[in-house]
Amino acid sequence: MPTITIDGVHYEVEQGKNLLESCLSLGLDLPYFCWHPAMGSIGACRQCAVVQYQNAEDTRGRIVMGCMTPVSDGAIFSLAGDKAQQFREAIVESLMLNHPHDCPVCAEGGECHLQDMTVMVGHRDRHYRGRKNTHRNQYLGPLINHEMNRCITCYRCTRYYRDYAGGTDLAAMAAHDHIYFGRHQEGVLQSEFAGNLVEVCPTGVFTDKSLVHDYTRKWDLQSAPSVCTGCAVGCNTMPGERYGRLKRVHNRFNAEVNGYFLCDRGRFGAGFVNSDKALEYPGLRQADGRYRALDHHEALLRMAQQCAQGRVAGIGSPRASVEANYLLRQLVGADNFAPGFSDTEQVLVSLALQLQADSAALVPDIATIESADAVLILGEDVTNTAPRIALALRQSVRNKAYELAAELKLETWQDAAIRNLAQHQRSPLFIAAVADTPLDDVATQCLYLAPASIAALGQAVAAGLGGGDSKAATDNAAGALPRAIQAEAAAITAALAGAKRPLVIAGTTCGSAAILRAAAEVASALCSGARQTMLCLCVPEANSLGQAILAGPDAPNLTTLQQRASAGEIDTLVVLENDLYRRGNEAQIDALLAACSQVIVLDGLDNATTSAANLVLPAANFAESEGTLVSLEGRAQRYFPVFQPQAERRAAWVWLLACLKEMERSEVYPLHHFDDITRACAADIPALAGITAAAPDLHYLNLGVKIPRQPARYSGRTAMRANISVHEPKQREDEETPLAFTMEGLNRDQPGALLPWVWAPGWNSNQSVHKFQTEAGGPLKGGTAGARLLHPGGSRNRTNTRPVAGDAAAENSGVSGAQPGLWQLVPRPRIFGSDELSAMSPALAELVSPGFIELCPADAAGLGIDTGDGVEVGDQLATLELRVNDSMAAGCAGYGAGLAGTGNLRALARVSLRRAETWQRRPGLIASDRGAGPGSSHV
Amino acid sequence: MSELDTIGFGLVIIAAAVGGAAILTWFERRLLGVWQDRYGPNRLGPFGVLQVAADMIKLLTKHDWVPPFADRAVFVFAPTAIVVAMLLGFAVVPFGPDLYILDINIGLLFFLGMTSLAVYSVLLGGLASNNKYALLGGLRSAAQMVSYEVFMGLSLMGVVMLTGSFNLRAIVEAQRDLWYCIPQCLGLFTFLIAGIAESHRLPFDLPEAEHELTAGFHTEYGGMKFAMFMLGEYLGLLLISCMITTLFFGGWLGPWLPPIVWFCLKVFVLICFFILLRAAIPRPRYDQLMALGWKVMLPLTLLNLLATGAIALLLEGA
Amino acid sequence: MLSSLTSQLRTIWTILQHSFTKAETVQYPEQMPYLAPRYRGRIVLTKDPDGEERCVACNLCAVACPVDCIALQQAVKEDGRWYPEFFRINFSRCIMCGMCEEACPTNAIQLTPDFEMCEYDRSNMVYEKEHLQIDGTGKYHDYNFYRVSGLAIKGKDKGQASNEAPPIDVKSLLP
């Protein structure tokens, strides 16, 4: 460890870091703008100037940029030297020359890095008397607000957007003081990660548009550590609330999961919390079909009564917490508990769980995914199903560049130098998918194949690597795999074989068990030698994996329940936070619900299932309740209530526990608190034993006090509710978590799972997170949030996969070759719209496209239709708009999974397609506008 | 006087003393107002005199509360003690040549005895409240009384020596030629100081000392019980003024006007003087109070006693 | 000892002299006191010289308030101006310290020489925006925040604020 001298004090610092990072790690405040811990240094802003001295005799020194100066043993620096200080102040003054007088009407105010740095350097008076430059703003879509006047040209936005997130439509334009950061023309930002500009921009050029129109300053937001429910990645978030409304979601740093960035679904998709579809009171359906509001005690009594008599079955939900599902399982018994997946998904998620658990390969977290030096993606469009992984994959392809840099002894933070060095050389990334995916631009090779062929490709690669079932592979190679692809398979095999840290990604979205198996085979074939092989199997929802663990492989599925119900074996059905109409055919669900005399539904938002229920209980959403979710990497993570449930909403676990107590079920007598349920669940289900470690329990105190949800300067406490009553009630005590609904307590050095907001004296912006890290950019001081249930490294003694019950039922992808006149339906998920809840967020509503069918040009021509025409799918399953997609595999019909009108479509089903005669083309659409239209701009 | 007359006159005196004390609360506030360049109570009735009635109504209608942690019996007894003691003190005051209740030979000793009894009220009130401020107040009161009691009695011995009697009427009669305020000026001075201290009026209100002890010994008192303490304090003021008039300013003696008018006039002037002291002089520190008592006032009193004795002997010898 | 006695006597004499000075007391309410224009009394929200709401709902008054008695919610008007959707001051908590006025970047919130705000019901001390908003400019007659700010609103485009250059044409090659 080199020892450096800063202002006469000797410090030991870490080798390979730059001076700026080292100073921040040491707790010294050195202003900066362009440096970002995830993006390295380019030395653009000149703000982190320090004086460096040649030796002890040197008294003049010279000014160097902290972020571009490596630390070396014996180096002497001065931060406090007049020369450096004056220089830094002058830089801020020059950056502020054209900065508008906007702070009061700027959404960044109060958490603005520019404000912080200006105060830090002591700049106060503007000496320049000339006029300020101005710019015109651009419309950048419904999510991001643009205010170009405020720019200080640090280049962070384009470095993030283009270099880090792979976007192409935001760039620096013009020269000298005309520089403009924007698009070539107004329009929606295309990147799925554009929202991070809000946090990356050190000032108010890019701000959260939904926040700007319902604004609350950072100091007024009540926040709690939360976990994104948009997909299965489990990114850590800090939602902020004021006046009972969720105002925004910010990234919560987690070194192993999301790091500094979220996807736009996660950032802007939580608006459903404020939806007017949110249920407020328990409802009882009257004879005339209308609902009557009940008070919660009566609702509870009814629920307990109905659950106590007759035979009860329950349907859980992969988007509800482990605890709520566990209680429902206790209520109805394991044999009557369906996990709430669609039938196919239930098989696939169980399979994915088992394959990962049994695999010798590492189940990687996102930070580990970034370290992969060769990646094979089989069938999954990760950008649209698990977006944060796609962002990590964009970083993984840079490992080639880092290798080249290491040869030249370039430090890893030398961002510009490394990018110049590598140019377009990337680590291998192979994508086999049914059609194009947003990651294609960084892929070495993209193969657009039917699902069966993707599986065959995987098997061929596995066989090439000397693993898997080589006979099946050979058969498939001869059958499903076209000869041209075999060469590609060989190339993939070679690239993976040559890698040190290969990664195989597949997922459940494409509906094929064979692909999952093939991915596992490739991974196990790679598990030899010194390779650190990784296998990542994506599952669809926030708690899919946890639900699969809880329910076990033998749990009944929806069809089983429906058959039992039709046979009269079920009287009461309890549905937990699940819109069943998204899980099965309308007819099947109708039959299931009709066959049960009582249907009790707990959910947060009004949907088709709640409309069919006899008794509806309003369940609190993720921002109002606590729970544990198990992410796709098997990480159990706890989310905490940001604010108290509004109206009569209660957390689902509260309803269920109260119901169990009302039924006088002895096993719940010892359960009083949320933590008791977690512990009971962990004790009951050995595979979930780790969930208690997801976060400290309610007895945790940080140096004797709780952790405050409100920042120290939370304002308006004596006026906020004065319109209701001038008598101020006592602050509600949080009896379930170690967090407090007040500003009292200590937000410092606590476990990472309990970080509600970041702030440090002098650091009001989100940059203050470095004060909570062991070192700048390092993990949080209190440890990384979450507990891994699937241990990295897995069980190395087993390498072959066991068959899973019910596996064959869902399997039809093995059938090779297209059947004439029938198309195979393949899901084409969309980041905005495919997820049930985030699609209800007002911010995203504009970006959610209506349902569509994608065909390759030849197939479309064969049907005599073109983009914009209507297609009737199967026997009145759906009528959707056609999009012709050049890359679509022949014989496959992609459909926008989860989008409006696609409810009856199931992955891999073979359907007939017909021109819909009565279809009205959208006005203004011409055939050549492939993939055009307001909703499809993210295609 | 017949016994019935005595009782009747006694009742008149009690009514006058209590009424006077009540009016004093208003009068003091008005007078303080004058000296502090403000008005004082001026809203109710002519010159705000009905403020007294308003205060009375307020105090009477207040919740008569005894703190649950207090020693109930003592707590209730304490405020009555001071009023009774003070009222008894009036028994020996000769308001005119024939206006008195008791004419006893040990009138002065009786008065001293009664004022000493008053300390128990403060002490017990402070103790029974079971409150640290009250206790401190009671403690201070006890120490202050003990210290000042000593020379209070002694300072009057000069008067007694010159008169040769403890009978208050005799003392007044002895002043026909010369008020004792001239020969006994030192005695007057020390008795005045001791008198203020005994009635714990400002500047010697250390047992109350709002600024340090919230309200000292009567912190826990409210309503009528508090009113009794206040009444006791003003009765004390009245009584001390009466005694000073009697002992040093020739009591009812004076030309032209009827004796009772002279007496009241003198008392009134003295009361004004006491109020002036309150308006002008700040409260001493506790140790200063003690030092003043023991190191200045006691030697002065003894000096006065010696000198008076010597002169008396000298005059007798001559 | 003697000097301190003299000092006490002199004090008594001085006080006695005050028997002949006039009382300073103002006989409120018969006699109204003079309140300086900058007296810190009831809080108002003012309008700019053009008659538009000055408050931009920046929340600085709320955060400056030591008793946290100001609560508001920002919203954006059609013309691009920020304004408070609601603005509430709980005067039963207000200590009239004037920190809100100090903090206000637009001169919107001002304290006035009015202190007569007694109510029998505390809830009447809660003032909403309609109770706070006045039509005038208050103590500052000329200031209009949007003439200085870089934010474009209807009627004031980019580059039209004071001391601003016209918007840059990004496509121009001229220096």
Side-chain angles (χ1 to χ4, degrees), chain C:
Chain C
M1 171 73 206
L2 259 180
S3 70
S4 63
L5 188 67
T6 326
S7 155
Q8 303 289 2
L9 290 174
R10 205 178 55 233
T11 310
I12 293 173
W13 176 241
T14 313
I15 296 297
L16 203 56
Q17 282 177 316
H18 276 264
S19 312
F20 308 103
T21 49
K22 211 176 150 287
E24 294 285 340
T25 314
V26 177
Q27 287 294 320
Y28 176 84
E30 293 86 16
Q31 193 185 350
M32 295 304 286
Y34 169 72
L35 299 180
R38 281 171 191 278
Y39 184 88
R40 296 197 310 261
R42 180 170 56 85
I43 298 169
V44 295
L45 292 174
T46 58
K47 291 190 172 173
D48 66 24
D50 303 335
E52 297 281 351
E53 255 178 77
R54 257 182 181 153
C55 178
V56 297
C58 72
N59 275 290
L60 285 181
C61 50
V63 75
C65 180
V67 290
D68 285 348
C69 74
I70 305 179
L72 64 151
Q73 172 59 55
Q74 173 264 18
V76 186
K77 277 187 189 158
E78 290 279 303
D79 61 3
R81 286 168 187 266
W82 283 29
Y83 77 103
E85 194 177 28
F86 72 84
F87 195 108
R88 186 180 307 130
I89 299 183
N90 181 355
F91 276 111
S92 71
R93 285 283 190 181
C94 179
I95 56 170
M96 309 290 173
C97 66
M99 299 286 246
C100 48
E101 186 173 356
E102 291 281 322
C104 184
T106 66
N107 289 339
I109 194 165
Q110 296 182 16
L111 276 74
T112 60
D114 173 18
F115 58 87
E116 296 173 310
M117 305 177 68
C118 295
E119 295 284 351
Y120 284 106
D121 186 354
R122 258 177 76 202
S123 57
N124 292 339
M125 302 283 278
V126 179
Y127 280 40
E128 297 288 342
K129 188 170 144 189
E130 62 262 34
H131 309 125
L132 297 164
Q133 184 73 56
I134 63 166
D135 274 335
T137 55
K139 284 174 275 190
Y140 309 96
H141 304 298
D142 303 322
Y143 189 70
N144 184 335
F145 172 75
Y146 282 106
R147 285 189 207 145
V148 185
S149 165
L151 200 71
I153 55 168
K154 196 178 163 194
K156 191 214 79 176
D157 201 2
K158 290 283 175 199
Q160 293 181 351
S162 69
N163 209 26
E164 273 190 356
I168 286 164
D169 178 7
V170 178
K171 288 170 185 157
S172 163
L173 289 174
L174 295 172

Side-chain angles (χ1 to χ4, degrees), chain A residues 368-432:
Chain A
T368 318
I369 288 177
E370 286 185 3
S371 73
D373 59 354
V375 183
L376 170 63
I377 304 176
L378 290 175
E380 189 78 357
D381 178 2
V382 281
T383 315
N384 284 309
T385 60
R388 188 59 186 82
I389 289 181
L391 191 59
L393 290 174
R394 287 186 179 274
Q395 311 319 309
S396 76
V397 297
R398 294 199 62 221
N399 284 320
K400 174 73 176 174
Y402 289 123
E403 274 170 33
L404 295 171
E407 284 168 23
L408 292 181
K409 298 199 166 52
L410 270 174
E411 305 277 16
T412 48
W413 44 264
Q414 288 279 16
D415 191 54
I418 295 174
R419 284 184 196 275
N420 274 336
L421 172 67
Q423 297 292 334
H424 291 292
Q425 301 181 66
R426 299 191 187 96
S427 305
L429 166 65
F430 297 96
I431 301 175

